[in-house]
Structure formats: structure tokens, C-alpha cells
Amino acid sequence: MGEEKKMSPSSPEIAPEGEKTIISMRGIYKRFYIGQPNELEILKGIDLEVKKGAFLSIVGASGSGKSTLMNIIGALDRPTEGAYTLDGVEMHDVPDRGLSEIRNRKIGFVFQTFNLIPRTTALSNVELPMLYAGVPMLERGRRARELLELVGMGERMKHMPNELSGGQKQRVAIARAMANDPAIILADEPTGALDSQTGRLVMDLFHTLHREQGKTIVLITHNPELAAETEEIITISDGQVIGREKGGGALAAH
């Protein structure tokens, strides 16, 4: 009888499913310039398991391999060797033409540089992944407006990116990442271009999405304070996982 929940696909009454593995990596290697004198091995046997509904961070210095790992998690690149299963899909079996569909439907990306389309309103930016997914126009508009309201951008949905502050752009980017109700949100240094106060608002939004929407969130960061806010911290160095520890989660946020 109670009030209808605002975003039905998200309610986290998924306790039994909470133990489902959403990312499974076994023996992931990534090499570049294979067979050439300058061959580079960036990832050196990464094993990684992430449970559905987890909020974790991947940390490491510049050159540690975390961006290469992010590209493989996000289906932007393939491993040279090893097995990767994403939300039940064996990625090795996905043809190249299928990777973009996997990215569009299963992964919501949030980047440091926002990556909004400049001459398009906030609303249209959020609608775009749904357009690619073949969602009907009326449904696209309804869900885009709902998501912009969710991130506190309802009053600015007709604004162009150049009319928005950095924090507002990032909130639009987060709404866009949620457009197709993805299995995973992959956030690469999402507060890197923001001042500390605005970055705090963006991190609070991630905590809300994790808590209220039950989203699996993977945060790539070099900032130990942000990493401490996640439930688990994976540290990589020289292409290998060298540490895995519990973080403070939302309790460490303030």
C-alpha cells in the first residue's frame, strides 16, 4: 500500500543474490607490441572477483596498470591471455561487434573529463545510450528526466554542457551512466577534475546509488581518501594485485 518506489529496477531486495559474482577474472595478462623488440607486458596474471552489489576501489600509482585493467573490465579492450566473465557472459566468446552492445547495456561509464556531447542538452546526453539500445522515444525521455531528477539536475535538463559547472556536468554523466540500468558503474577518477567540495557531492551520489539502487560500483582512483570510502580496496602495482583490504564504506565518507 505504501508509496511507489521511484525507480523500480533498482530496489536492493537482492540479499540472496548479493553473493552472485558479477566480475570474474582469472590469469589476466595484457601485452602490447607482441613479438616486437619493444613488447610490453602491462598486466601480469590478474585474478579478481567482484560480487554483485559491491562498491570497491582499484588503486595504484601511475603506470601500475589500473587504466589497462579498467579498459578490460569495461570491454573497451580484450586481454591477451586469461578468462573474463562479466555478469554471466564469457567475454572471450563475444565477437568484436558484440562488445559495444555489452558496454552499452551492462556498463555505465563515468570519466574524469565527463565526456558529454557539447551541443546537446543534458537531457539528450542522458537519452543517448538508450537511443543506441533501441529504447522508444517516450520511454527514453521519461527515464532521462527521472534520472536527472535523481542526481539533482531536474531544473537544468535543458542546459547545454557549457552552461553547467564541473560538478553539474559530472552529475549529468552519472545520470547517463545509469540510463540502461547497467550491471556495473565504472568510475575512472570521477572527482579528479573537481574541487574538494564538489567532489564530495559526487562521492555522496555514488554512495546513494550503491545504497538505494543496489548498484555494483568500481572506482578507479589514486586518492587513498576516496578509496577508504569503498567497501573493499584492491591495490595493484606493476600489473599485479598486491593487496586487498576492507575499506570503511559510507561510514568513512565524512
Side-chain angles (χ1 to χ4, degrees), residues 17-177:
E17 279 192 319
E19 291 306 305
K20 177 187 172 188
T21 297
I22 197 165
I23 291 172
S24 177
M25 293 183 146
R26 291 285 177 269
I28 295 293
Y29 287 81
K30 183 62 181 179
R31 303 182 187 98
F32 296 93
Y33 313 117
I34 295 170
Q36 299 180 33
N38 59 339
E39 180 173 321
L40 280 175
E41 188 171 75
I42 304 298
L43 299 181
K44 304 171 183 179
I46 296 276
D47 293 332
L48 180 64
E49 272 211 2
V50 179
K51 299 296 185 185
K52 184 178 176 69
F55 187 1
L56 79 152
S57 51
I58 297 175
V59 301
S62 179
S64 62
K66 64 182 188 294
S67 294
T68 302
L69 179 60
M70 186 209 76
N71 287 341
I72 293 174
I73 293 173
L76 294 164
D77 201 358
R78 294 182 184 273
T80 308
E81 188 181 320
Y84 175 29
T85 304
L86 171 65
D87 199 24
V89 176
E90 293 280 355
M91 297 301 285
H92 183 270
D93 299 334
V94 178
D96 287 347
R97 66 180 179 277
L99 288 180
S100 61
E101 185 176 346
I102 292 277
R103 288 193 298 270
N104 195 39
R105 291 185 178 275
K106 289 191 175 290
I107 302 166
F109 292 95
V110 181
F111 296 102
Q112 177 176 340
T113 50
F114 320 125
N115 287 13
L116 299 179
I117 296 174
R119 293 180 180 83
T120 304
T121 64
L123 185 68
S124 295
N125 266 282
V126 177
E127 285 185 22
L128 196 58
M130 293 182 277
L131 176 65
Y132 292 147
V135 176
M137 183 174 67
L138 289 177
E139 173 62 13
R140 287 200 309 266
R142 182 200 66 77
R143 181 158 171 80
R145 287 189 292 272
E146 186 180 65
L147 287 166
L148 285 166
E149 292 282 357
L150 182 74
V151 301
M153 290 296 290
E155 294 183 357
R156 295 182 178 270
M157 59 180 68
K158 298 294 187 185
H159 285 59
M160 301 290 182
N162 66 358
E163 299 172 311
L164 302 175
S165 69
Q168 289 168 339
K169 289 176 187 175
Q170 196 60 296
R171 282 188 276 164
V172 172
I174 292 169
R176 180 186 58 189

